[in-house]
Amino acid sequence: MVGVKAGASSRRATLIGDVVGSRLAADRTELHRRVTEALADIAAGGTDPLAFTVGDEFQGSYSTVGAAVDAALAVRLALAPDIDVRFGIGWGEVTLLDRQTGIQDGPGWWSARAAIEWTAAAQQQPALAAVRTAYRRHDDNGPDPDAVNAALLCRDHLLGSVDARSLRLLRGLLEGKSKKELAVMEGISASAVSQRTARDGLDLLVLACDHLRRLR
């Protein structure tokens, strides 16, 4: 934040994440280490890189909603299936309150807070147990929440319906690996990879993620 004047505001996508059920972790120090490593690996591309704030909550901001949605997925896949995380994504004005500490405030953060609070409440309902991500915006500026949330609900359902191997395959596909490369990585045939990606909707997920990534 050095060089940015206190009081300066800009419209951006905000991302708040936290670990689901973190208080039940057998080794909270190890949990914190693993999440910290995942956030560091995904830090590139953010206006403010993802970082822990307090407890098991982390925050970051991005120039577009698509970039924030993509970062949330990257964190989730980096930690799954061992560590479960949920997210709130917001869009709105963000104001820098203190240049030295980087403390921020504003409707962008309020929107992300409302989104993650909704996510935490929603996943307590049996019908919405797979929900892990929600999006809110402060005003009429920014991507339409109804359309974005419809896509996020479907994405979360698919992600919550697959096993650890399919999550690894999805991660590889999103990294640009070929199905032949994934077959070698998993020690199975390329045909088995193709059958699994079709059965579990992984190719569809990759396409959906590509569309969501383009959100402004």
Side-chain angles (χ1 to χ4, degrees), residues 8-213:
S9 297
S10 63
R11 194 177 293 273
R12 68 183 74 169
T14 51
L15 176 62
I16 300 175
D18 68 18
V19 179
V20 178
S22 61
R23 293 181 183 180
L24 303 177
D27 187 341
R28 286 177 54 80
T29 300
E30 175 63 12
L31 181 148
H32 189 88
R33 184 193 65 77
R34 288 190 57 188
V35 177
T36 299
E37 287 183 355
L39 298 184
D41 289 341
I42 298 159
T47 304
D48 296 304
L50 285 169
F52 275 111
T53 52
V54 63
D56 298 314
E57 183 174 287
F58 51 89
Q59 298 181 2
S61 67
Y62 296 82
S63 59
T64 67
V65 171
V69 168
D70 204 43
L73 177 63
V75 173
R76 184 173 179 182
L77 290 178
L79 297 171
D82 301 326
I83 299 174
D84 192 10
V85 284
R86 62 177 158 243
F87 304 92
I89 297 168
W91 176 259
E93 288 288 331
V94 171
T95 301
L96 178 65
L97 299 181
D98 188 305
R99 184 173 65 86
Q100 296 301 321
T101 63
I103 293 175
Q104 301 173 4
D105 193 19
W109 288 114
W110 308 338
S111 298
R113 178 62 60 191
I116 197 169
E117 288 176 353
W118 182 88
T119 303
Q123 67 184 94
Q124 302 305 313
Q125 304 174 44
L128 300 177
V131 171
R132 291 296 181 273
T133 321
Y135 162 68
R136 298 287 185 271
R137 67 182 182 187
H138 176 64
D139 50 33
D140 291 338
N141 185 283
D144 176 43
D146 290 336
V148 174
N149 283 314
L152 292 175
L153 285 169
C154 292
R155 189 180 78 175
D156 281 349
H157 175 75
L158 282 171
L159 287 170
S161 303
V162 301
D163 61 17
R165 170 167 279 177
S166 286
L167 288 172
R168 290 195 301 271
L169 292 175
L170 176 61
R171 189 183 306 124
L173 290 171
L174 290 170
E175 290 171 352
K177 290 184 172 65
S178 70
K179 289 178 181 177
K180 287 184 178 180
E181 290 174 315
L182 294 175
V184 172
M185 180 181 78
E186 290 293 320
I188 58 178
S189 68
S191 175
V193 171
S194 294
Q195 291 174 24
R196 179 179 278 263
T197 57
R199 181 196 70 202
D200 288 353
L202 304 187
D203 293 317
L204 184 152
L205 270 168
V206 170
L207 182 60
C209 291
D210 183 54
H211 284 294
L212 285 168
R213 193 179 298 119

